[in-house]
Amino acid sequence: MVSGLIAVWATVHIGKLIGVGLDWKGVWRGLLFVIVLAFVNAVIRPVVKLFAMPLNCLTFGLFALVINALLFWATAAVTGFIEVKGFWAALFGSLMLGFLSAVINTFLGVGDKHSKKK
């Protein structure tokens, strides 16, 4: 949960720094955004990807980027905790969030099979 909050915080601040169109509305709201986004990614995203599978196959998986951006944008719009100004900001946010989450989780050892006790 903390790694998600750090990744969202860094994504929004990098987006603000380069002028993409992301805005942050506080730490607690960011934490709630992470919780809602985790729910959306766990429950809604698999259903959307299932229905979009033919289109995803036609685009060799690139439509998954659009799905991720739309779910990021929709979560921000529904919660109102993070301001996303347009599709390109949502695409940047979803790509940067995925990249930063992977980097942070690698450094923290989250999901590492060697870190689990047998």
Side-chain angles (χ1 to χ4, degrees):
M1 190 67 63
V2 174
S3 63
L5 181 61
I6 294 169
V8 167
W9 177 82
T11 298
V12 170
H13 283 307
I14 290 170
K16 282 176 69 172
L17 184 68
I18 63 174
V20 173
L22 298 174
D23 197 10
W24 179 262
K25 295 187 178 183
V27 175
W28 293 110
R29 288 184 174 191
L31 182 62
L32 292 174
F33 175 79
V34 170
I35 293 169
V36 173
L37 187 63
F39 175 78
V40 166
N41 282 335
V43 176
I44 297 172
R45 184 173 177 245
V47 175
V48 171
K49 285 187 82 169
L50 179 69
F51 286 117
M53 192 180 305
L55 189 55
N56 207 11
C57 288
L58 285 174
T59 61
F60 299 108
L62 291 177
F63 192 69
L65 297 174
V66 174
I67 292 171
N68 290 340
L70 291 176
L71 290 176
F72 183 85
W73 196 6
T75 303
V78 167
T79 61
F81 299 144
I82 290 179
E83 185 177 347
V84 179
K85 298 176 183 174
F87 175 76
W88 295 111
L91 183 63
F92 172 81
S94 66
L95 289 173
M96 186 61 68
L97 182 63
F99 173 74
L100 290 175
S101 294
V103 169
I104 292 168
N105 288 335
T106 299
F107 283 121
L108 293 178
V110 176
D112 188 14
K113 62 182 174 184
H114 298 295
S115 66
K116 295 179 183 174
K117 294 183 180 179
K118 293 182 180 180

